[in-house]
Amino acid sequence: MKTISMLSTFPLFSKRQFALLALASSALFAAGGAQAQAALDNIMKSKTLKVAVPTDYPPYGSVDKTMTPIGLDIEMAQLIAAKLGVKIELVPVTSANRIPYLQTRKADLVISTLGKNAEREKVIDFSAAYAPFFQAVYAAKSMKLASFADMAGKTVAVTRGAMEDQELNKVAPANVDYRRFEDNNATIAAFVAGQTQTIATSAAVAADMLAKNPKVSAEYKLLLKDSPCFVGIAKNETALKAKVNEIIAAAKKDGTLDKMSMKWLGKAAGDLPV
């Protein structure tokens, strides 16, 4: 069977034409590289920073009675915009669309309780961590819980099969009295009603619970697991990433991150990964 070279399907080029084609290709690659580095320049030129944020996940992001966005992630977005000297445009997102919004340039940054993992690192870049995201044990302010050993014999409300249920089993004494419920609402209701002495839950669930039930007078006691939040940045935007990391480092050094975390989560940010 006669074979036909793929090259024969294309017109022949002179050396000069090949040189011009190579030059044009180099220019296109250079333009692509420049585009990939253009985010910070565009932000500074437009004087606007577009940030993808949550608006239905307190205390990180929600809206108040006047429909004004509030929360830890909102404050972090506002801090970065202020340090850049630009105005902020908050773009509400969900967990499902926050990364696509970044990839399609609908947002310059994602600040939406975003955790870092290997799969996500293939498609976007991450800043240093700016806030904790954790599961913990909460109890009345008057109760002494300095270590998990102090939970011996105490009742704890926990959602069956949740991460906090699994983590508590690893560290709590064998004689902790577990009261397991099928969902977060039932778990919270039991603790608020005084059916259990303690509750193991996420910071987000606890913050919402305490805001709605101030008479409970509970507080953060013991850390179960911490999965820090990072700012999401489009791939290869090294200039913007460096600037965001610079702002985070300064906020960490002067105590701003600790204050924000204490305000919204009841726990200082602590030693976050870079």
Side-chain angles (χ1 to χ4, degrees):
M1 181 181 292
K2 184 178 180 180
T3 59
I4 300 175
S5 169
M6 289 182 65
L7 289 176
S8 66
T9 63
F10 292 92
L12 294 175
F13 293 99
S14 68
K15 289 184 178 180
R16 184 173 185 278
Q17 287 174 318
F18 266 119
L20 290 172
L21 181 62
L23 185 62
S25 297
S26 297
L28 285 173
F29 279 117
Q35 175 65 29
Q37 293 292 327
L40 183 58
D41 288 340
N42 290 340
I43 291 165
M44 302 311 293
K45 288 176 183 176
S46 66
K47 296 295 182 183
T48 303
L49 176 68
K50 296 180 292 184
V51 185
V53 296
T55 54
D56 60 353
Y57 198 68
Y60 291 90
S62 60
V63 292
D64 63 15
K65 293 178 180 179
T66 66
M67 299 305 292
T68 301
I70 59 171
L72 194 156
D73 285 351
I74 309 303
E75 285 197 11
M76 189 65 214
Q78 292 168 337
L79 174 67
I80 293 175
K83 294 299 182 181
L84 290 175
V86 299
K87 65 181 181 180
I88 191 166
E89 180 182 329
L90 299 175
V91 183
V93 292
T94 63
S95 294
N97 67 19
R98 56 189 173 175
I99 290 178
Y101 267 46
L102 185 63
Q103 293 174 304
T104 56
R105 307 289 171 159
K106 292 180 181 178
D108 301 308
L109 302 173
V110 172
I111 304 181
S112 180
T113 61
L114 188 64
K116 181 166 65 172
N117 60 43
E119 285 303 308
R120 288 175 178 169
E121 284 187 292
K122 292 177 182 178
V123 294
I124 65 170
D125 288 336
F126 293 87
S127 71
Y130 66 90
F133 183 92
F134 56 87
Q135 287 75 35
V137 174
Y138 294 79
K141 293 179 180 179
S142 58
M143 180 180 290
K144 179 188 175 184
L145 282 182
S147 70
F148 287 104
D150 293 332
M151 291 187 69
K154 291 183 172 60
T155 54
V156 57
V158 64
T159 301
R160 188 184 308 278
M163 184 181 292
E164 46 270 17
D165 187 9
Q166 299 168 23
E167 294 299 320
L168 191 57
N169 268 292
K170 297 176 184 177
V171 294
N175 61 342
V176 167
D177 185 0
Y178 290 92
R179 306 288 174 87
R180 291 184 171 90
F181 301 89
E182 298 308 313
D183 57 50
N184 284 331
N185 289 335
T187 303
I188 292 168
F191 177 70
V192 170
Q195 295 174 18
T196 66
Q197 296 166 285
T198 66
I199 182 172
T201 189
S202 72
V205 170
D208 188 52
M209 173 189 73
L210 296 177
K212 292 177 179 177
N213 303 277
K215 292 183 179 180
V216 172
S217 190
E219 66 181 5
Y220 163 88
K221 294 292 186 180
L222 302 168
L223 179 67
L224 286 170
K225 186 177 180 63
D226 194 5
S227 304
C229 301
F230 300 80
V231 177
I233 305 163
K235 253 326 185 186
N236 301 317
E237 291 290 356
T238 53
L240 180 57
K241 179 179 176 179
K243 194 65 180 178
V244 170
N245 279 339
E246 178 186 314
I247 292 168
I248 290 174
K252 185 175 182 178
K253 185 176 181 180
D254 68 16
T256 298
L257 295 188
D258 280 331
K259 290 177 183 176
M260 287 168 52
S261 183
M262 184 62 71
K263 174 183 175 180
W264 294 105
L265 306 176
K267 173 185 178 294
D271 188 19
L272 297 169
V274 297

